[in-house]
Amino acid sequence: MIYSYLRFEKTDFDGVFKLVIDRPNALNALNSDVIAELQSFFEKIVNDCSIKAIVLTGGGEKSFVAGADIKEMVNLTAQDSMNFARKGQQLLLTMYNCPKPIIAAVNGYALGGGFEMSLCCDMIFASENAKFGFPEVTLGIIPGFGGTQILRRLVGEKAAKYLILSGEIISAAEAYRMNVVNRLFKTPEEVVNGAVEFAAKIAKNSPSSVAYAKKAVNVSFDLSMERGLEYESSLFGTLFNTEDQKEGMKAFIEKRKAEFKGK
Ligand code: CO8
């Protein structure tokens, strides 16, 4: 896969890859090309069994993603800006529904669309220099890449309004206290390494289990308890048709490590 703004790199761990949004001169801001490349990337990898977990990070040491590209948006019409937001939202859903786990390794600014990009990942690891916030209201707009919907689901109404209505930029430590960040690291390098190591732990599990577990948690936001439990039991049952379930339980009984094939 050849991209202008993305670097896709192997790590030392089987099945674990780094995806770097690499536009450091603009603090990795999301223009239409970056969004199109990310959309194409996440569509292409869905059925690639060699990819078991992805760590998403920003190029350079200063920024994860400093938002959507303000220079591209400045003269958009209402219709064009709505189309721009729809493309971003389509990407958000593609990543959110991606069967592979995605860990955001936030190494600096995660603002506006960049904050939203981290929120649609499954976990957020952050370095101490990371900063999160929605400065959209200071630009005369609102979050348009799903921020109003996904942050409310994650932290509740009051905390979401606190950030979205004020444009307040918060530290990594504060984002950790709000349960937005899973783990904190000292430096940008450490956060990427820490995320890769954690991704390697996930990659050792059955890929089908991981994908189904992600699905089951995701749908819980939209279903009643009863419907959510029904959905959970249907996925639970489906996994008993897989070789991974047989291998996982057999390996436990034989006191050895399971070797999963994702089938
Ligand atoms: N868009 C375009 N260029 C940017 C952006 C951005 N979001 N952020 C930084 N840059 C550029 C700067 O213009 C500058 O370029 P140049 O050297 O050519 O002037 C370069 O990156 C370096 O930036 P700074 O010199 O400003 O660096 P500082 O360290 O002084 O400041 C900040 C860093 C505080 C992060 C500052 O750059 C800043 O405030 N950036 C804008 C942050 C922001 O407001 N983000 C929200 C944007 S709106 C949004 O995301 C809406 C999403 C909804 C739709 C999404 C659909 C996908």
Side-chain angles (χ1 to χ4, degrees), residues 55-84:
V55 170
L56 177 67
T57 194
E61 290 218 336
K62 218 171 149 184
S63 180
F64 174 71
V65 170
D69 192 316
I70 299 169
K71 292 169 190 165
E72 182 177 336
M73 286 189 295
V74 60
N75 288 321
L76 291 184
T77 62
Q79 186 60 49
D80 289 345
S81 61
M82 200 154 71
N83 292 339
F84 184 62

Side-chain angles (χ1 to χ4, degrees), residues 134-141 164-168:
F134 283 119
E136 281 88 341
V137 286
T138 70
L139 296 166
I141 57 171
I164 294 170
L165 272 55
S166 66
E168 183 105 335

